[in-house]
């Protein structure tokens, strides 16, 4: 880990008390010795952790690091030919110089560094006990969440749990085993569960629903690859997902329009989101998802960064409401020059994240970006319960059929365990596509949807419709070159 990545925490104390984690304060006089004195400072360092959800990368060229895993699914195309970050991943010729991988490494570790500061120093601050519990609960969750992303993307990574300075032995850490990283993730989430955090919070802070939802995701991942911990962990995943379901804190939106409505942020289906406010930090995803230079938007730049492949679109069932124009996708829009005229794209672009007001009027978006939806948890429960019980239960059917009912599809019934398993996997593809979810499913199950046959292939050896064939090395991403060069204790992943 680079010195400047670790020491940056001393100059990154963000949001001194603001609830949407966006306004920055001047940190020039802050040190570990003089800073952690008050409740306001405790809240400030915790809020700083949230800032590192907003990834960026050098040489984006119409992309965003959050697209990285979506291009590893074989479901996405791009109009941005000069973006090597995208094209190397999409064509399975990725290397360790990819700045998207670097963002997925640097931002989580910066967040972890701030979480370590919070977890170390907040217990010693004299402050209201309930607020202290909330701050620590958020810090434990956010450390766990970031390590969960790191271990799934890179495998064996350094496990740093204390603040680090230039004299620390952890300055050049060795990699920890994957199993020990998952053990720590579970421990942190269990600590977060003990906190005073509420089930919901419209301000966008971490909630009990988020904690238990991510713990369910961790357990189902541990049950699969690479740990293959088995049925016990499917049972644990189902139990945690069921706690979220039974709490009544979350619900599916009645309309797909609510997925990109500012009025519905941080509530109901939205369990965890990246927070934006156009006057402070605007949502930068909007131009990435727009079709390339077709002048349908008030934005001066339309990147065409990602679109859905026709072969994937064809796997949706007839009558699926998610395929209706301006539900999950759109193929046409009015011209910015003349709103009475319609522009056809020739491809399916993603509409889930479309900010109508920003694209029609302001070119500045405050729309939050979703990290975790309740739909994911319903499908996770259905999958985990089916594996734990050896067959689909009434409750498992109810969960997957809630998703299908909203989509206007016939309810599933009468399936064997294996048939139900693949039906749920396919439902996850259709519901969660282009939300940074599907590649993680591919990696933990070692299965990939064959867009031509509709069946599931083994991960290694699967061929994307546009040519590349997945290899063993593609089960992980490369550790960034800059990290390998600065820390001789790190070993690069196989094949890079």
């Amino acid at each position: 880990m680079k010195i400047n990545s670790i020491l940056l925490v001393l100059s990154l104390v963000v949001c001194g008390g603001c609830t949407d984690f966006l306004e920055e304060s001047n940190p020039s006089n802050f040190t570990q010795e003089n800073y952690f004195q008050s409740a306001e400072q405790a809240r400030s360092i915790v809020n700083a952790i949230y800032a590192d959800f907003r990834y960026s990368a050098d040489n984006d060229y119409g992309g965003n690091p959050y697209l990285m895993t979506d291009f590893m699914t074989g479901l996405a195309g791009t109009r941005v030919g000069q973006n090597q970050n995208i094209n190397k991943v999409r064509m399975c010729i990725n290397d360790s110089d990819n700045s998207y991988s670097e963002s997925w490494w640097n931002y989580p570790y910066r967040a972890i560094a701030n979480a370590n500061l919070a977890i170390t120093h907040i217990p010693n601050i004299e402050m209201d006990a309930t607020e202290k519990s909330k701050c620590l609960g958020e810090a434990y969750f956010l450390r766990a969440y970031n390590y969960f992303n790191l271990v799934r993307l890179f495998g064996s990574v350094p496990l740093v749990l204390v603040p680090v300075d230039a004299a620390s032995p952890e300055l050049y850490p060795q990699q920890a085993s994957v199993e020990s990283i998952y053990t720590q993730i579970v421990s942190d989430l269990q600590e977060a569960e003990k906190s005073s955090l509420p089930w919901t919070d419209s301000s966008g802070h971490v909630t009990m629903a988020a904690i238990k939802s991510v713990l369910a995701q961790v357990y189902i991942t541990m049950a699969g690859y690479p740990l293959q911990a088995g049925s016990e962990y499917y049972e644990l995943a189902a139990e945690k997902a069921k706690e979220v379901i039974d709490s009544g804190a979350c619900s599916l939106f009645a309309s797909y329009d609510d997925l990109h409505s500012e009025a519905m942020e941080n509530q109901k289906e939205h369990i965890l989101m990246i927070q934006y406010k156009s006057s402070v930090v605007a949502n930068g995803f909007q131009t990435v998802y727009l079709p390339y230079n077709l002048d349908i938007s008030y934005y001066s730049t339309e990147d065409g960064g990602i679109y859905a492949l026709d072969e994937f679109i064809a796997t949706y069932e007839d009558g699926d409401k998610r395929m209706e124009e301006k539900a999950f996708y759109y193929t046409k829009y009015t011209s910015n020059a003349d709103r009475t005229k319609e522009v056809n794209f020739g491809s399916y672009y993603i509409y889930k994240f479309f900010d109508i007001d920003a694209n029609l009027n302001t070119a500045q978006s405050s729309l939050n970006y979703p990290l975790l939806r309740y739909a994911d948890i319903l499908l996770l429960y259905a999958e985990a319960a089916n594996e734990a019980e050896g067959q689909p239960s009434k409750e498992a059917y109810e969960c997957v059929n809630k998703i299908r009912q909203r989509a206007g599809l016939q309810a599933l019934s009468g399936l064997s365990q294996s048939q139900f398993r693949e039906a749920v996997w396919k439902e996850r593809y259709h519901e969660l596509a282009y939300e940074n979810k599907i590649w993680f499913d591919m990696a933990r199950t070692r299965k990939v949807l064959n867009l031509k046959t509709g069946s599931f292939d083994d991960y290694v050896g699967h061929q994307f419709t546009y040519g590349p064939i997945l290899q063993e090395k593609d089960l992980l991403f490369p550790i960034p070159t800059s990290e390998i060069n600065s820390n001789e204790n790190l070993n690069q992943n196989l094949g890079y």
Side-chain angles (χ1 to χ4, degrees):
M1 212 176 306
K2 293 181 291 188
I3 292 177
N4 61 352
S5 295
I6 297 176
L7 298 187
L8 187 56
V9 296
L10 294 180
S11 61
L12 187 74
V13 181
V14 181
C15 271
C18 70
T19 57
D20 52 3
F21 331 117
L22 297 167
E23 298 171 4
E24 297 190 7
S25 55
N26 183 349
S28 58
N29 296 320
F30 299 157
T31 68
Q32 290 192 50
E33 289 71 29
N34 70 20
Y35 185 73
F36 299 98
Q37 305 293 325
S38 68
E40 291 76 16
Q41 290 165 333
R43 171 49 58 192
S44 180
I45 189 61
V46 171
N47 283 352
I49 310 170
Y50 290 90
D52 288 312
F53 277 146
R54 296 190 289 270
Y55 294 2
S56 63
D58 294 334
N59 303 318
D60 272 352
Y61 292 116
N64 183 282
Y66 274 102
L67 303 183
M68 183 176 78
T69 61
D70 284 325
F71 280 110
M72 201 64 205
T73 63
L75 307 179
T78 184
R79 303 296 185 201
V80 190
Q82 71 270 37
N83 190 319
Q84 294 306 305
N85 295 320
I86 288 174
N87 291 320
K88 287 182 178 180
V89 171
R90 184 173 181 269
M91 300 306 294
C92 298
I93 54 172
N94 197 19
D95 59 45
S96 59
D97 292 323
N98 192 316
S99 63
Y100 284 2
S101 291
E102 191 168 22
S103 292
W104 275 101
W105 182 282
N106 287 341
Y107 281 85
Y109 269 119
R110 193 163 68 179
I112 288 164
N114 278 323
N116 288 341
L117 285 171
I119 291 166
T120 298
H121 292 289
I122 288 176
N124 299 320
I125 297 176
E126 291 188 10
M127 57 187 293
D128 176 77
T130 299
E131 179 61 17
K132 177 182 285 190
S133 176
K134 288 180 178 179
C135 285
L136 286 170
E138 291 171 65
Y140 275 112
F141 170 87
L142 291 166
R143 184 168 74 177
Y145 183 87
N146 281 282
Y147 270 124
F148 186 39
N149 282 334
L150 284 166
V151 73
R152 289 185 295 169
L153 289 167
F154 301 106
S156 176
V157 298
L159 183 62
V160 180
L161 303 174
V162 296
V164 176
D165 59 30
S168 299
E170 294 85 2
L171 188 60
Y172 297 104
Q174 295 184 343
Q175 289 154 286
S177 70
V178 169
E179 185 173 8
S180 66
I181 296 167
Y182 273 104
T183 297
Q184 185 62 50
I185 291 168
V186 170
S187 175
D188 278 359
L189 290 172
Q190 290 174 338
E191 283 296 320
E193 279 189 296
K194 299 174 185 176
S195 72
S196 304
L197 288 169
W199 274 95
T200 61
D201 187 337
S202 61
S203 72
H205 286 88
V206 169
T207 63
M208 196 57 65
I211 294 166
K212 292 181 182 292
S213 294
V214 171
L215 190 49
Q217 290 182 322
V218 170
Y219 283 142
I220 201 170
T221 303
M222 294 175 74
Y225 291 90
L227 294 182
Q228 294 184 276
S231 59
E232 174 189 353
Y233 282 85
Y234 283 118
E235 185 175 351
L236 288 168
E239 288 174 357
K240 283 301 164 188
K242 193 69 160 52
E243 286 184 47
V244 178
I245 294 166
D246 290 346
S247 74
C250 306
S251 60
L252 293 178
F253 291 134
S255 168
Y256 295 127
D257 291 340
D258 290 339
L259 291 175
H260 50 106
S261 165
E262 279 193 54
M264 303 305 293
E265 292 177 337
N266 304 321
Q267 58 185 301
K268 294 188 176 180
E269 190 162 348
H270 286 311
I271 297 176
L272 185 65
M273 308 186 81
I274 305 174
Q275 308 296 303
Y276 289 103
K277 183 186 291 183
S278 62
S279 60
V280 184
V281 180
N283 178 327
F285 288 93
Q286 291 300 310
T287 61
V288 173
Y289 289 105
L290 292 172
Y292 182 66
N293 282 356
L294 292 183
D295 192 31
I296 66 159
S297 169
Y298 197 69
Y299 283 97
S300 59
T301 301
E302 298 174 340
D303 295 319
I306 186 171
Y307 63 90
L309 293 185
D310 289 346
E311 293 88 345
F312 173 60
I313 294 297
T315 67
Y316 281 83
E317 296 175 50
D318 291 341
D320 193 324
K321 290 182 179 180
R322 292 168 293 198
M323 286 306 304
E324 292 179 357
E325 188 74 14
K326 295 182 183 177
F328 277 17
Y329 310 98
Y330 68 135
T331 62
K332 55 191 175 183
Y333 207 74
T334 57
S335 169
N336 184 52
D338 184 349
R339 290 299 175 189
T340 66
K341 295 182 178 179
E342 206 164 56
V343 179
N344 290 303
F345 307 157
S347 297
Y348 287 82
Y349 282 81
I350 293 95
Y351 196 74
K352 291 180 181 180
F353 318 119
F354 190 88
D355 186 330
I356 296 172
D357 184 57
N359 282 286
L360 289 182
N361 302 308
T362 66
Q364 289 288 320
S365 176
S366 295
L367 192 66
N368 291 346
Y369 184 83
L371 295 176
L372 177 59
R373 290 200 284 126
Y374 183 56
D376 188 349
I377 301 309
L378 289 173
L379 293 172
L380 187 155
Y381 174 80
E383 179 184 350
N386 182 54
E387 299 300 336
E389 299 175 27
Q391 61 183 357
S393 64
K394 176 185 176 182
E395 291 80 8
Y397 273 117
E398 287 175 351
C399 285
V400 67
N401 284 334
K402 284 180 181 179
I403 305 297
R404 291 179 62 81
Q405 180 181 12
R406 182 171 64 171
L409 299 175
Q410 184 177 354
L412 299 178
S413 64
L415 302 179
S416 67
Q417 182 189 27
S418 61
Q419 289 172 330
F420 186 83
R421 176 190 300 130
E422 293 198 2
V424 172
W425 285 350
K426 191 173 291 186
E427 205 63 49
R428 289 183 64 83
Y429 268 79
H430 292 154
E431 179 68 26
L432 303 173
Y434 313 105
E435 294 186 40
N436 194 37
K437 300 292 182 184
I438 302 306
W439 181 82
F440 291 117
D441 285 351
M442 289 165 53
R444 69 176 173 83
T445 63
R446 297 294 197 265
K447 295 292 183 179
V448 185
L449 179 64
N450 186 309
L451 303 185
K452 296 178 180 179
T453 67
S455 60
F456 282 85
D457 295 343
D458 289 339
Y459 185 103
V460 177
H462 172 78
Q463 185 171 22
F464 293 154
T465 56
Y466 51 89
I469 298 174
L470 289 170
Q471 303 175 53
E472 185 80 18
K473 73 176 183 64
D474 298 315
L475 290 165
L476 293 173
F477 285 83
I479 296 173
T481 300
S482 56
E483 299 299 325
I484 295 291
N485 289 343
S486 65
N487 183 0
E488 63 181 13
N489 292 318
L490 297 181
N491 295 311
Q492 184 57 273
N493 286 327
L494 179 70
Y496 294 105

